[in-house]
Amino acid sequence: MRILTDFRRVVCGISGGVDSAVAAYLLKKKGFKVIGVFMKNWDSRDESNTCLSLENDLEDAESVCRQIGIELIHVSFVKEYWNEVFSNFLSDYENGLTPNPDINCNRFIKFGSFYRHAFDKLGADAIATGHYAQTTFGSFLEDYQPNTDVKLIRAVDPTKDQTLFLSQVDQEPLRKTMFPLGSFCKTQVRRIAKASNLDSVYKKRDSVGICFIGNRKFTNFIHEYIPDKVGPFVDIDTDRILGWHKGIHHWTLGQKSRIAGTREISSVPN
């Protein structure tokens, strides 16, 4: 593939997982000048002073970059994440909504703060991530059009497609983003990692759930930030009080619940 002169220096987000590792490897293999960035978006210790997985992820990211032969830079967006993502997350829960912090994290942090840092501080021509997504500009911006809006396209692997979580990303960063994994299935990505001797990540399990909650139960986590507000479970047909809850921030629309003292499984109405 011909490297466009406008896109030689690519700053790639490196999370310590297999996807971003293979994305960086593919970029390097294509001949781009690749710089890895490990983002710290949340404090490395939770409210119980127990280390989360950040330190292990950083070690894996460093190992990957040594193997590929690229520089790794550490950047903290903890303040930005708190202000742009987490504060809104809490506000939505307090008001009975069920937010998706990954969408705001992509919009404001990975394609906001990280994008600006890559261009303003690291001299990037483009950024790249390990998301499973495609755009009309191609996986490596080979079809880039300077005066045309870019469109987001679903990834080849329907089970890993992440376009929903990228749906709020602005045009400016999306136009200058490479998605090297968009045309691959997850099984292919793991095979590439194994064949490329990316030993620290090729068997690593995918991260799931909300990153700042980790392995904790959601009810225990949210209690640290939003105080309980006791209220009744009410039968919408009879107005009969069925039981009591600790606050609407513990529930979401349609969620099923077995209320103490009743035989039926109830659900939060839409």
Side-chain angles (χ1 to χ4, degrees):
M1 184 199 79
R2 177 176 65 91
I3 297 180
L4 301 178
T5 55
D6 289 343
F7 304 114
R8 291 190 177 275
R9 189 177 176 88
V10 181
V11 176
C12 182
I14 304 290
S15 67
V18 65
D19 295 329
S20 61
V22 171
Y25 167 79
L26 293 174
L27 290 165
K28 181 74 180 295
K29 189 177 179 181
K30 290 287 186 182
F32 293 102
K33 169 63 177 177
V34 185
I35 299 172
V37 169
F38 182 85
M39 287 174 269
K40 179 181 179 181
N41 298 331
W42 188 255
D43 200 311
S44 59
R45 293 182 179 272
D46 67 15
E47 295 72 12
S48 301
N49 203 38
T50 302
C51 287
L52 298 175
S53 63
L54 184 70
E55 293 174 2
N56 292 333
D57 289 339
L58 176 56
E59 291 178 2
D60 290 339
E62 291 172 337
S63 174
V64 161
C65 289
R66 283 194 301 268
Q67 178 65 29
I68 296 174
I70 64 174
E71 179 184 8
L72 180 66
I73 297 172
H74 307 174
V75 179
S76 175
F77 295 126
V78 171
K79 179 180 178 180
E80 292 84 351
Y81 191 93
W82 183 278
N83 291 333
E84 301 276 7
V85 180
F86 190 64
S87 293
N88 291 331
F89 170 85
L90 293 180
S91 177
D92 284 346
Y93 262 106
E94 284 185 299
N95 288 283
L97 302 175
T98 305
N100 187 322
D102 289 339
I103 291 178
N104 279 339
C105 180
N106 283 327
R107 179 182 181 186
F108 295 114
I109 307 302
K110 295 177 182 176
F111 296 86
S113 299
F114 168 59
Y115 171 80
R116 290 188 294 271
H117 185 89
F119 276 79
D120 297 343
K121 303 295 185 182
L122 303 178
D125 299 318
I127 64 170
T129 73
H131 286 98
Y132 286 84
Q134 301 184 93
T135 75
T136 49
F137 285 176
S139 298
F140 300 96
L141 296 180
E142 64 270 22
D143 298 320
Y144 177 78
Q145 298 294 328
N147 299 312
T148 305
D149 283 348
V150 67
K151 294 181 181 179
L152 198 60
I153 303 173
R154 280 180 286 187
V156 167
D157 190 337
T159 65
K160 291 297 180 181
D161 175 71
Q162 293 173 296
T163 50
L164 169 65
F165 305 103
L166 299 168
S167 59
Q168 299 299 311
V169 174
D170 292 335
Q171 273 288 314
E172 180 185 344
L174 194 60
R175 285 167 48 82
K176 297 290 183 71
T177 299
M178 297 181 182
F179 294 113
L181 305 188
S183 60
F184 292 92
C185 291
K186 183 72 177 201
T187 53
Q188 293 175 295
V189 170
R190 289 200 181 276
R191 284 199 295 267
I192 293 171
K194 183 177 182 179
S196 306
N197 298 315
L198 300 176
D199 298 333
S200 63
V201 296
Y202 86 86
K203 287 185 177 180
K204 194 171 183 179
R205 299 177 68 176
D206 293 342
S207 58
V208 294
I210 301 174
C211 60
F212 50 76
I213 294 179
N215 294 323
R216 292 169 289 177
K217 290 184 178 180
F218 177 78
T219 53
N220 295 336
F221 171 82
I222 202 68
H223 177 72
E224 297 290 333
Y225 296 95
I226 302 176
D228 289 344
K229 300 176 182 177
V230 176
F233 284 112
V234 179
D235 187 315
I236 59 174
D237 296 319
T238 66
D239 288 332
R240 184 169 62 94
I241 294 178
L242 304 176
W244 299 88
H245 60 77
K246 295 181 179 181
I248 59 173
H249 56 283
H250 288 288
W251 303 92
T252 188
L253 297 180
Q255 180 177 344
K256 294 186 181 301
S257 172
R258 187 179 295 279
I259 302 172
T262 65
R263 295 183 178 181
E264 303 85 2
I265 297 177
S266 303
S267 61
V268 180
N270 295 315

